[in-house]
mmCIF file of all heavy atoms in Angstrom:
data_model
loop_
_atom_site.group_PDB
_atom_site.id
_atom_site.type_symbol
_atom_site.label_atom_id
_atom_site.label_comp_id
_atom_site.label_asym_id
_atom_site.label_seq_id
_atom_site.Cartn_x
_atom_site.Cartn_y
_atom_site.Cartn_z
ATOM 1 N N ARG H 13 81.516 -12.786 17.103
ATOM 2 C CA ARG H 13 80.956 -13.709 16.123
ATOM 3 C C ARG H 13 82.089 -14.091 15.242
ATOM 4 O O ARG H 13 83.064 -13.525 15.160
ATOM 5 C CB ARG H 13 79.723 -13.098 15.422
ATOM 6 C CG ARG H 13 78.614 -12.666 16.182
ATOM 7 C CD ARG H 13 77.813 -13.915 16.983
ATOM 8 N NE ARG H 13 76.789 -13.476 17.842
ATOM 9 C CZ ARG H 13 75.511 -13.154 17.513
ATOM 10 N NH1 ARG H 13 75.084 -13.433 16.431
ATOM 11 N NH2 ARG H 13 74.656 -12.982 18.636
ATOM 12 N N PRO H 14 81.734 -15.217 14.359
ATOM 13 C CA PRO H 14 82.767 -15.639 13.548
ATOM 14 C C PRO H 14 83.096 -14.552 12.463
ATOM 15 O O PRO H 14 84.306 -14.487 11.968
ATOM 16 C CB PRO H 14 82.056 -16.781 12.782
ATOM 17 C CG PRO H 14 81.048 -17.221 13.586
ATOM 18 C CD PRO H 14 80.591 -16.074 14.382
ATOM 19 N N TRP H 15 82.279 -13.644 12.145
ATOM 20 C CA TRP H 15 82.484 -12.523 11.202
ATOM 21 C C TRP H 15 83.044 -11.195 11.784
ATOM 22 O O TRP H 15 83.434 -10.348 11.010
ATOM 23 C CB TRP H 15 81.160 -12.288 10.502
ATOM 24 C CG TRP H 15 80.059 -12.112 11.322
ATOM 25 C CD1 TRP H 15 79.006 -13.140 11.581
ATOM 26 C CD2 TRP H 15 79.605 -11.041 12.140
ATOM 27 N NE1 TRP H 15 78.064 -12.701 12.467
ATOM 28 C CE2 TRP H 15 78.457 -11.374 12.776
ATOM 29 C CE3 TRP H 15 80.112 -9.790 12.254
ATOM 30 C CZ2 TRP H 15 77.741 -10.452 13.617
ATOM 31 C CZ3 TRP H 15 79.510 -8.820 13.247
ATOM 32 C CH2 TRP H 15 78.338 -9.194 13.874
ATOM 33 N N GLY H 16 82.989 -11.121 13.181
ATOM 34 C CA GLY H 16 83.499 -9.893 13.751
ATOM 35 C C GLY H 16 82.850 -9.624 15.064
ATOM 36 O O GLY H 16 82.665 -10.561 15.869
ATOM 37 N N VAL H 34 83.010 -5.784 10.945
ATOM 38 C CA VAL H 34 83.189 -7.037 10.158
ATOM 39 C C VAL H 34 84.551 -7.158 9.678
ATOM 40 O O VAL H 34 85.029 -6.214 9.023
ATOM 41 C CB VAL H 34 82.060 -6.899 9.005
ATOM 42 C CG1 VAL H 34 82.236 -8.307 8.220
ATOM 43 C CG2 VAL H 34 80.671 -6.713 9.450
ATOM 44 N N ILE H 35 85.192 -8.317 9.992
ATOM 45 C CA ILE H 35 86.512 -8.450 9.594
ATOM 46 C C ILE H 35 86.645 -8.830 8.089
ATOM 47 O O ILE H 35 85.687 -9.111 7.469
ATOM 48 C CB ILE H 35 87.088 -9.690 10.444
ATOM 49 C CG1 ILE H 35 86.414 -11.041 10.194
ATOM 50 C CG2 ILE H 35 87.261 -9.217 11.914
ATOM 51 C CD1 ILE H 35 87.019 -12.207 10.858
ATOM 52 N N PRO H 36 87.847 -8.607 7.623
ATOM 53 C CA PRO H 36 88.116 -9.005 6.178
ATOM 54 C C PRO H 36 87.652 -10.516 5.839
ATOM 55 O O PRO H 36 87.993 -11.250 6.624
ATOM 56 C CB PRO H 36 89.630 -8.865 5.960
ATOM 57 C CG PRO H 36 89.956 -7.675 6.882
ATOM 58 C CD PRO H 36 89.175 -8.082 8.143
ATOM 59 N N GLY H 37 86.798 -10.582 4.883
ATOM 60 C CA GLY H 37 86.290 -12.048 4.506
ATOM 61 C C GLY H 37 85.030 -12.402 5.298
ATOM 62 O O GLY H 37 84.492 -13.350 4.969
ATOM 63 N N GLY H 38 84.768 -11.518 6.218
ATOM 64 C CA GLY H 38 83.522 -11.838 7.128
ATOM 65 C C GLY H 38 82.311 -11.630 6.415
ATOM 66 O O GLY H 38 82.166 -10.632 5.489
ATOM 67 N N LYS H 39 81.334 -12.468 6.675
ATOM 68 C CA LYS H 39 79.958 -12.365 6.006
ATOM 69 C C LYS H 39 78.900 -12.823 6.965
ATOM 70 O O LYS H 39 78.938 -13.938 7.468
ATOM 71 C CB LYS H 39 80.058 -13.476 4.821
ATOM 72 C CG LYS H 39 78.884 -13.462 3.923
ATOM 73 C CD LYS H 39 79.188 -14.410 2.791
ATOM 74 C CE LYS H 39 78.100 -14.533 1.859
ATOM 75 N NZ LYS H 39 78.488 -15.447 0.647
ATOM 76 N N LEU H 40 77.927 -11.904 7.314
ATOM 77 C CA LEU H 40 76.910 -12.277 8.201
ATOM 78 C C LEU H 40 75.915 -13.173 7.384
ATOM 79 O O LEU H 40 76.013 -13.353 6.238
ATOM 80 C CB LEU H 40 76.125 -11.007 8.680
ATOM 81 C CG LEU H 40 76.706 -10.210 9.778
ATOM 82 C CD1 LEU H 40 78.087 -9.504 9.348
ATOM 83 C CD2 LEU H 40 75.806 -9.312 10.362
ATOM 84 N N SER H 41 75.071 -13.836 8.345
ATOM 85 C CA SER H 41 74.129 -14.788 7.641
ATOM 86 C C SER H 41 73.048 -13.925 6.797
ATOM 87 O O SER H 41 72.839 -12.764 7.101
ATOM 88 C CB SER H 41 73.447 -15.617 8.676
ATOM 89 O OG SER H 41 72.794 -14.746 9.594
ATOM 90 N N LEU H 42 72.600 -14.651 5.830
ATOM 91 C CA LEU H 42 71.478 -14.031 5.115
ATOM 92 C C LEU H 42 70.306 -14.188 6.019
ATOM 93 O O LEU H 42 69.991 -15.443 6.421
ATOM 94 C CB LEU H 42 71.221 -14.891 3.729
ATOM 95 C CG LEU H 42 70.129 -14.195 2.824
ATOM 96 C CD1 LEU H 42 70.456 -12.807 2.396
ATOM 97 C CD2 LEU H 42 69.965 -15.141 1.611
ATOM 98 N N GLN H 43 69.567 -13.123 6.362
ATOM 99 C CA GLN H 43 68.567 -13.207 7.434
ATOM 100 C C GLN H 43 67.524 -12.388 7.235
ATOM 101 O O GLN H 43 67.586 -11.422 6.283
ATOM 102 C CB GLN H 43 69.363 -12.971 8.730
ATOM 103 C CG GLN H 43 69.963 -11.586 8.825
ATOM 104 C CD GLN H 43 70.821 -11.338 10.084
ATOM 105 O OE1 GLN H 43 70.337 -10.612 10.861
ATOM 106 N NE2 GLN H 43 71.927 -11.953 10.112
ATOM 107 N N LEU H 60 79.632 -4.944 0.790
ATOM 108 C CA LEU H 60 78.675 -5.550 -0.239
ATOM 109 C C LEU H 60 77.448 -5.965 0.644
ATOM 110 O O LEU H 60 77.543 -6.809 1.494
ATOM 111 C CB LEU H 60 79.283 -6.658 -0.968
ATOM 112 C CG LEU H 60 78.302 -7.291 -2.002
ATOM 113 C CD1 LEU H 60 78.047 -6.242 -3.169
ATOM 114 C CD2 LEU H 60 78.950 -8.460 -2.664
ATOM 115 N N THR H 62 73.440 -7.453 0.750
ATOM 116 C CA THR H 62 72.315 -8.041 -0.064
ATOM 117 C C THR H 62 71.062 -7.479 0.586
ATOM 118 O O THR H 62 70.956 -7.384 1.846
ATOM 119 C CB THR H 62 72.341 -9.507 0.179
ATOM 120 O OG1 THR H 62 73.608 -10.115 -0.256
ATOM 121 C CG2 THR H 62 71.061 -10.201 -0.530
ATOM 122 N N HIS H 84 68.422 -9.899 4.117
ATOM 123 C CA HIS H 84 69.528 -8.896 4.082
ATOM 124 C C HIS H 84 70.727 -9.654 4.634
ATOM 125 O O HIS H 84 70.737 -10.636 5.351
ATOM 126 C CB HIS H 84 69.288 -7.684 4.776
ATOM 127 C CG HIS H 84 68.929 -7.794 6.205
ATOM 128 N ND1 HIS H 84 67.813 -8.211 6.765
ATOM 129 C CD2 HIS H 84 69.819 -7.625 7.344
ATOM 130 C CE1 HIS H 84 67.906 -8.376 8.049
ATOM 131 N NE2 HIS H 84 69.122 -7.936 8.435
ATOM 132 N N ARG H 85 71.939 -9.105 4.113
ATOM 133 C CA ARG H 85 73.268 -9.536 4.528
ATOM 134 C C ARG H 85 74.189 -8.502 4.381
ATOM 135 O O ARG H 85 74.086 -7.652 3.440
ATOM 136 C CB ARG H 85 73.661 -10.833 3.863
ATOM 137 C CG ARG H 85 75.066 -11.223 4.006
ATOM 138 C CD ARG H 85 75.620 -12.376 3.182
ATOM 139 N NE ARG H 85 74.751 -13.021 2.231
ATOM 140 C CZ ARG H 85 74.614 -14.330 2.332
ATOM 141 N NH1 ARG H 85 75.081 -15.070 3.165
ATOM 142 N NH2 ARG H 85 73.856 -14.946 1.216
ATOM 143 N N ILE H 86 75.299 -8.458 5.112
ATOM 144 C CA ILE H 86 76.482 -7.539 4.884
ATOM 145 C C ILE H 86 77.738 -8.477 4.801
ATOM 146 O O ILE H 86 77.830 -9.421 5.644
ATOM 147 C CB ILE H 86 76.585 -6.393 5.771
ATOM 148 C CG1 ILE H 86 77.552 -5.448 5.374
ATOM 149 C CG2 ILE H 86 76.787 -6.951 7.263
ATOM 150 C CD1 ILE H 86 77.570 -4.132 6.206
ATOM 151 N N GLN H 87 78.593 -8.173 3.834
ATOM 152 C CA GLN H 87 79.942 -8.818 3.763
ATOM 153 C C GLN H 87 81.048 -7.980 3.469
ATOM 154 O O GLN H 87 80.821 -6.827 2.965
ATOM 155 C CB GLN H 87 79.772 -10.038 2.868
ATOM 156 C CG GLN H 87 79.569 -9.664 1.409
ATOM 157 C CD GLN H 87 79.251 -10.892 0.494
ATOM 158 O OE1 GLN H 87 78.126 -11.367 0.594
ATOM 159 N NE2 GLN H 87 80.248 -11.258 -0.250
ATOM 160 N N ASN H 88 82.182 -8.448 3.918
ATOM 161 C CA ASN H 88 83.466 -7.595 3.770
ATOM 162 C C ASN H 88 84.345 -8.294 2.812
ATOM 163 O O ASN H 88 85.055 -9.323 3.217
ATOM 164 C CB ASN H 88 84.069 -7.369 5.180
ATOM 165 C CG ASN H 88 85.328 -6.519 5.006
ATOM 166 O OD1 ASN H 88 85.752 -6.053 3.940
ATOM 167 N ND2 ASN H 88 85.869 -6.207 6.338
ATOM 168 N N ASN H 89 84.368 -7.807 1.596
ATOM 169 C CA ASN H 89 85.406 -8.468 0.708
ATOM 170 C C ASN H 89 86.723 -7.804 0.499
ATOM 171 O O ASN H 89 87.493 -8.076 -0.233
ATOM 172 C CB ASN H 89 84.721 -8.442 -0.736
ATOM 173 C CG ASN H 89 83.562 -9.295 -0.875
ATOM 174 O OD1 ASN H 89 83.350 -10.261 -0.028
ATOM 175 N ND2 ASN H 89 82.627 -8.941 -1.815
ATOM 176 N N VAL H 111 66.093 -14.585 11.763
ATOM 177 C CA VAL H 111 65.804 -15.973 11.032
ATOM 178 C C VAL H 111 66.861 -16.141 10.007
ATOM 179 O O VAL H 111 66.864 -15.294 9.023
ATOM 180 C CB VAL H 111 64.437 -15.793 10.434
ATOM 181 C CG1 VAL H 111 64.140 -16.940 9.462
ATOM 182 C CG2 VAL H 111 63.292 -15.447 11.392
ATOM 183 N N ARG H 112 67.720 -17.003 10.254
ATOM 184 C CA ARG H 112 68.860 -17.213 9.288
ATOM 185 C C ARG H 112 68.507 -18.158 8.224
ATOM 186 O O ARG H 112 67.972 -19.240 8.417
ATOM 187 C CB ARG H 112 70.010 -17.882 10.059
ATOM 188 C CG ARG H 112 70.776 -17.022 11.024
ATOM 189 C CD ARG H 112 72.037 -17.664 11.520
ATOM 190 N NE ARG H 112 72.731 -16.514 12.353
ATOM 191 C CZ ARG H 112 72.677 -16.493 13.646
ATOM 192 N NH1 ARG H 112 71.836 -17.420 14.295
ATOM 193 N NH2 ARG H 112 73.229 -15.574 14.321
ATOM 194 N N LEU H 113 68.652 -17.603 7.009
ATOM 195 C CA LEU H 113 68.265 -18.329 5.731
ATOM 196 C C LEU H 113 69.392 -19.126 5.115
ATOM 197 O O LEU H 113 69.293 -20.035 4.426
ATOM 198 C CB LEU H 113 67.667 -17.264 4.733
ATOM 199 C CG LEU H 113 66.510 -16.529 5.305
ATOM 200 C CD1 LEU H 113 66.162 -15.311 4.322
ATOM 201 C CD2 LEU H 113 65.356 -17.321 5.550
ATOM 202 N N GLU H 114 70.664 -18.524 5.385
ATOM 203 C CA GLU H 114 71.915 -19.064 4.702
ATOM 204 C C GLU H 114 73.026 -18.626 5.629
ATOM 205 O O GLU H 114 73.082 -17.464 6.084
ATOM 206 C CB GLU H 114 72.026 -18.628 3.357
ATOM 207 C CG GLU H 114 73.181 -19.044 2.537
ATOM 208 C CD GLU H 114 73.206 -18.391 1.134
ATOM 209 O OE1 GLU H 114 72.141 -18.650 0.422
ATOM 210 O OE2 GLU H 114 74.214 -17.728 0.871
ATOM 211 N N ASP H 115 74.020 -19.486 5.803
ATOM 212 C CA ASP H 115 75.067 -19.008 6.761
ATOM 213 C C ASP H 115 76.357 -19.751 6.420
ATOM 214 O O ASP H 115 76.301 -20.969 6.539
ATOM 215 C CB ASP H 115 74.705 -19.190 8.292
ATOM 216 C CG ASP H 115 75.780 -18.627 9.179
ATOM 217 O OD1 ASP H 115 75.916 -17.327 9.272
ATOM 218 O OD2 ASP H 115 76.398 -19.567 9.908
ATOM 219 N N ILE H 116 77.424 -19.156 6.253
ATOM 220 C CA ILE H 116 78.737 -19.796 5.925
ATOM 221 C C ILE H 116 79.340 -20.554 7.082
ATOM 222 O O ILE H 116 80.379 -21.311 6.993
ATOM 223 C CB ILE H 116 79.751 -18.975 5.129
ATOM 224 C CG1 ILE H 116 80.267 -17.813 6.003
ATOM 225 C CG2 ILE H 116 79.144 -18.418 3.747
ATOM 226 C CD1 ILE H 116 81.398 -16.949 5.357
ATOM 227 N N TYR H 117 78.951 -20.052 8.192
ATOM 228 C CA TYR H 117 79.516 -20.612 9.621
ATOM 229 C C TYR H 117 78.677 -21.840 10.101
ATOM 230 O O TYR H 117 78.836 -22.187 11.267
ATOM 231 C CB TYR H 117 79.569 -19.425 10.532
ATOM 232 C CG TYR H 117 80.478 -18.232 9.974
ATOM 233 C CD1 TYR H 117 79.784 -17.152 9.686
ATOM 234 C CD2 TYR H 117 81.785 -18.442 9.742
ATOM 235 C CE1 TYR H 117 80.415 -16.079 9.172
ATOM 236 C CE2 TYR H 117 82.381 -17.254 9.289
ATOM 237 C CZ TYR H 117 81.700 -16.120 8.845
ATOM 238 O OH TYR H 117 82.460 -14.956 8.314
ATOM 239 N N GLY H 118 77.792 -22.311 9.462
ATOM 240 C CA GLY H 118 76.854 -23.347 9.853
ATOM 241 C C GLY H 118 75.944 -23.147 10.905
ATOM 242 O O GLY H 118 75.577 -24.027 11.707
ATOM 243 N N ARG H 119 75.390 -21.977 11.016
ATOM 244 C CA ARG H 119 74.388 -21.562 12.133
ATOM 245 C C ARG H 119 72.967 -21.563 11.690
ATOM 246 O O ARG H 119 72.203 -21.100 12.468
ATOM 247 C CB ARG H 119 74.831 -20.157 12.640
ATOM 248 C CG ARG H 119 76.242 -20.106 13.275
ATOM 249 C CD ARG H 119 76.615 -18.650 13.632
ATOM 250 N NE ARG H 119 76.623 -17.859 12.507
ATOM 251 C CZ ARG H 119 76.497 -16.481 12.600
ATOM 252 N NH1 ARG H 119 76.468 -15.911 13.710
ATOM 253 N NH2 ARG H 119 76.484 -15.710 11.536
ATOM 254 N N VAL H 120 72.668 -22.136 10.496
ATOM 255 C CA VAL H 120 71.232 -22.178 10.062
ATOM 256 C C VAL H 120 70.449 -23.345 10.870
ATOM 257 O O VAL H 120 71.070 -24.310 10.982
ATOM 258 C CB VAL H 120 71.176 -22.371 8.502
ATOM 259 C CG1 VAL H 120 69.616 -22.573 8.130
ATOM 260 C CG2 VAL H 120 71.760 -21.106 7.866
#
Side-chain angles (χ1 to χ4, degrees):
R13 300 286 171 97
W15 46 260
V34 183
I35 61 174
K39 183 177 185 178
L40 280 70
S41 57
L42 182 64
Q43 59 187 253
L60 181 62
T62 302
H84 61 281
R85 167 187 3 235
I86 189 167
Q87 64 192 74
N88 182 355
N89 294 335
V111 178
R112 287 191 175 93
L113 306 170
E114 182 182 299
D115 185 71
I116 64 171
Y117 308 107
R119 299 175 298 163
V120 173

